[in-house]
Amino acid sequence: MGDKPIWEQIGSSFVQHYYQLFDADRTQLGAIYIDASCLTWEGQQFQGKAAIVEKLSSLPFQKIQHSITAQDHQPTPDSCILSMVVGQLKADDDQVLGFHQTFLLKSFQGAWVCTNDVFRLALHNV
């Protein structure tokens, strides 16, 4: 990973950490958001760390496993990192579904946090 630009290293590390937390115990995801963070989950808007964690914690499944197919990262002019993730997830005994998720990462008080998060299942003809 050392030959990749720093924004790709940070973005990839963030994505790995995010989905490890999400799959193991999504109540712990509050550590990656700040009070100004925004989440759009399937078109629903949530703002603030508490509202985001409440939404993610209340999702109607007991277990979930994400598999990342692709991820792309870009530096932004204001020193943030834009990350887009494409993958598949399996919740409980449901069928495997595709998803897309985009994160905007910002260095905040010595750590990288997610200020913006947009998630959509890849459902077509539904």
Side-chain angles (χ1 to χ4, degrees):
M1 199 153 75
D3 58 337
K4 293 183 179 179
I6 189 68
W7 67 83
E8 286 190 24
Q9 294 176 41
I10 293 166
S12 294
S13 293
F14 175 86
V15 166
Q16 180 181 7
H17 180 65
Y18 176 87
Y19 292 109
Q20 283 176 342
L21 280 177
F22 200 110
D23 291 359
D25 182 3
R26 60 188 184 271
T27 64
Q28 300 301 309
L29 287 170
I32 65 160
Y33 296 101
I34 58 174
D35 290 335
S37 294
C38 295
L39 167 68
T40 301
W41 187 272
E42 290 290 316
Q44 291 183 293
Q45 302 276 340
F46 302 89
Q47 185 166 12
K49 181 192 300 197
I52 292 169
V53 172
E54 180 179 336
K55 172 59 181 175
L56 298 177
S57 298
S58 69
L59 292 170
F61 49 80
Q62 298 302 308
K63 62 180 179 171
I64 189 165
Q65 183 175 8
H66 290 85
S67 175
I68 306 306
T69 304
Q71 55 183 299
D72 298 297
H73 310 281
Q74 296 178 347
T76 66
D78 57 349
S79 301
C80 294
I81 298 170
L82 180 66
S83 296
M84 181 179 159
V85 178
V86 177
Q88 296 181 319
L89 61 82
K90 180 162 178 52
D92 293 332
D93 294 322
D94 293 345
Q95 67 181 358
V96 174
L97 297 171
F99 74 93
H100 306 273
Q101 193 160 12
T102 303
F103 302 100
L104 184 63
L105 309 178
K106 181 174 182 61
S107 182
F108 180 77
Q109 297 180 349
W112 285 92
V113 297
C114 179
T115 60
N116 299 79
D117 181 352
V118 180
F119 173 89
R120 283 279 182 176
L121 289 170
L123 301 176
H124 304 281
N125 301 319
V126 176

